Amino acid sequence: MKLRTFRIGGVHPEENKITAEVATQVAALPTQAVFPLSQHIGAPAKPVVAKGDKVKVGTLIAEAGGFVSAPIYSSVSGSVLKIDTAVDATGYRKPCIIIKVEGDEWEESIDRSEKLEKISDHPELTPEEIVNRIKVAGVTGMGGAGFPTFIKLCPPPGAKAECVIINAVECEPYITADYRLMMEHADEILVGLELLMKGAKVTKGYIGIEDNKPQAIKLFEEKTAGRDDIEIVPLAKKYPQGGEKQLVDAVIRRQVPAPPAIPVNVGAIVQNVGTAFAVYQAVMKNKPLFERYTTVTGKRISKPGNFLVRLGTPMKDLIEFCGGMPAGDNKVLAGGPMMGKALTTTEVPVCKGTNSITILTDEDAKRKEPQACIRCAKCVSACPMGLEPFLLATASSMHNWEKVEQEDITSCIECGSCQFTCPAHRPLLDNIRLGKSTVMGIIRARNAKK
């Protein structure tokens, strides 16, 4: 098997995919569901319900707050307790809708049957209709970034899509939610890819899967045997291959230029495998995005697993179902150890981009004391964007914003490869994040004056 991969940088942390063969379970309903209004890149959603309103599973509770935004639907039935603020994965209090759960009554418009709907049976599905249904259903990127999916299917002027690439890489060392989804819903994912291809008006699709998932590669190769329009691409294990620019390079050998360039500027539209499944449900089953596959994992978790979770469920509920918080000091992440966010409380709700809850032991999470840079350049070799992390981090720590902007800090994808590989244990990513956010604010202010 010939394996492809991206050509610049990369690392491969030790794998701990301890939940890979644990079949997905349906998580219990919460007693109270919390829906942050910012579960996506762009403007927050705007509430369309008020305190005391009755809602069902699939009821619209917040509409898109702008073009780059997405609506939010209730994942539970019950009554709106209040519109308030709550702590999300960032650690800050953000506007949200809180619903008291009462039963489990679904909107009748949702098709809950298990019948596989094929695109050939639905001539009414024009590209425009597909994009509209995706938009209305509130589908966003399920890999963590949360970019509204419909926007990716409408390239900006001057850009033309040639293919859709499904990101089935899951290169974070602990997470297995996408793998279980692939093993349990391969047919729906393929229809979802076909819908994305038709919506984007392209005739070629790829599914990139790392070779640590041989069963998934075999399954999808069997299901696409004899097809010319969809190609399964086995990839060598390397992080951060799930980054869309790295995946484009690995699959079609094209490198996306620095921002503001995006994959479609080189002909590719990248969507997560979970997004493809959500697109199938939205278009074929009239099911808005209100639940997702999530991994709960950690070396000391007594019953780690994969779950189909209703959005708004507090993470503490899932942790309790898995045996509770292990003894001793722990670090709880929304996401994986490479790019996940450390949580200040487990009351944080599961959102559209929550692919994992990872609990690290104190031994795994504790940072070693930083030492002086030894000029080894390992961070430069590891950077998948071809940057100089040591320079960006040092200049950022000195608040030399002009220098870091000149050195292309906005190209950083915050993957953490530099900090992971640094033998001196320097907080490279921490300083780079500070520099990147500051420079992006400077750029926005500069553009606003034009």
Side-chain angles (χ1 to χ4, degrees), residues 9-331:
V11 295
H12 192 71
E14 179 187 355
E15 285 188 12
N16 286 287
K17 292 187 180 286
I18 55 181
T19 53
E21 302 308 321
V22 181
T24 303
Q25 305 172 67
V26 177
L29 292 176
T31 56
Q32 183 173 287
V34 179
F35 300 89
L37 298 177
S38 293
Q39 298 189 33
H40 47 264
I41 288 176
K46 297 179 180 178
V48 294
V49 291
K51 180 179 178 179
D53 286 356
K54 295 292 184 180
V55 299
K56 298 179 182 179
V57 177
T59 299
L60 177 71
I61 57 174
E63 62 186 7
F67 178 71
V68 182
S69 186
I72 296 171
Y73 292 80
S74 177
S75 64
V76 296
S77 64
S79 53
V80 177
L81 202 58
K82 55 184 173 177
I83 297 175
D84 201 352
T85 61
V87 175
D88 68 4
T90 66
Y92 294 98
R93 297 192 71 88
K94 301 285 184 65
C96 68
I97 298 171
I98 302 174
I99 296 176
K100 180 182 178 182
V101 180
E102 300 163 348
D104 191 30
E105 187 179 357
W106 289 48
E107 292 284 359
E108 294 180 0
S109 57
I110 300 172
D111 180 359
R112 301 178 68 184
S113 72
E114 295 185 4
K115 178 190 174 187
L116 180 70
E117 298 290 341
K118 298 180 180 179
I119 198 167
S120 57
D121 297 329
H122 292 273
E124 76 279 7
L125 292 177
T126 62
E128 293 73 22
E129 178 64 16
I130 291 170
V131 172
N132 184 61
R133 291 190 188 188
I134 291 170
K135 178 180 180 180
V136 169
V139 179
T140 61
M142 305 284 278
F147 197 78
T149 300
F150 81 94
I151 296 177
K152 282 191 175 183
L153 301 177
C154 306
K160 179 175 172 55
E162 299 173 25
C163 65
V164 172
I165 301 175
I166 295 298
N167 178 359
V169 173
E170 202 163 48
C171 56
E172 277 270 7
Y174 281 78
I175 306 175
T176 60
D178 284 353
Y179 173 67
R180 292 314 313 168
L181 178 60
M182 287 189 281
M183 297 305 297
E184 296 165 13
H185 293 284
D187 291 326
E188 292 92 334
I189 289 168
L190 287 171
V191 176
L193 172 54
E194 292 172 353
L195 290 166
L196 288 166
M197 290 163 59
K198 187 170 183 179
K201 301 178 183 177
V202 302
T203 56
K204 185 67 177 180
Y206 299 91
I207 303 179
I209 310 174
E210 283 194 336
D211 72 331
N212 58 356
K213 307 173 187 66
Q215 290 179 291
I217 292 173
K218 180 182 177 183
L219 176 63
F220 277 85
E221 285 182 338
E222 289 173 351
K223 289 186 175 292
T224 57
R227 295 185 65 162
D228 296 325
D229 58 334
I230 296 177
E231 180 180 341
I232 309 305
V233 184
L235 302 168
K237 296 187 291 288
K238 190 159 68 164
Y239 175 89
Q241 198 145 231
E244 60 180 13
K245 293 186 177 183
Q246 285 65 45
L247 188 58
V248 169
D249 184 25
V251 173
I252 62 173
R253 276 295 182 262
R254 298 179 187 176
Q255 292 186 336
V256 183
I262 53 178
V264 76
N265 292 120
V266 296
I269 292 175
V270 180
Q271 299 284 6
N272 180 263
V273 67
T275 307
F277 182 60
V279 164
Y280 168 80
Q281 293 187 312
V283 177
M284 296 302 202
K285 298 293 186 178
N286 197 34
K287 182 181 177 182
L289 178 54
F290 57 71
E291 59 184 0
R292 67 155 298 137
Y293 275 56
T294 298
T295 299
V296 182
T297 185
K299 293 179 181 177
R300 292 185 184 171
I301 293 285
S302 60
K303 296 185 294 182
N306 301 291
F307 299 90
L308 179 61
V309 190
R310 302 282 182 93
L311 303 184
T313 301
M315 293 185 184
K316 70 177 179 60
D317 290 9
L318 295 174
I319 295 171
E320 286 300 318
F321 188 81
C322 292
M325 194 70 71
D329 293 330
N330 300 284
K331 185 174 187 176

Side-chain angles (χ1 to χ4, degrees), residues 365-443:
K366 192 172 183 179
R367 293 187 179 186
K368 296 182 180 179
E369 197 66 29
Q371 300 169 2
C373 174
I374 62 173
R375 306 294 193 269
C376 66
K378 282 189 174 181
C379 62
V380 178
S381 299
C383 180
M385 297 305 297
L387 304 174
E388 296 182 277
F390 72 92
L391 174 60
L392 296 176
T394 301
S396 293
S397 68
M398 298 172 67
H399 294 189
N400 190 343
W401 311 131
E402 184 177 352
K403 177 66 173 176
V404 293
E405 183 177 356
Q406 289 174 352
E407 294 295 332
D408 212 13
I409 197 170
T410 57
S411 288
C412 173
I413 60 173
E414 302 181 32
C415 66
S417 295
C418 56
Q419 191 159 306
F420 174 82
T421 199
C422 178
H425 315 296
R426 298 187 65 74
L428 299 173
L429 181 58
D430 297 354
N431 285 320
I432 291 172
R433 277 179 169 157
L434 170 65
K436 180 182 173 181
S437 62
T438 302
V439 167
M440 291 181 73
I442 292 171
I443 292 172

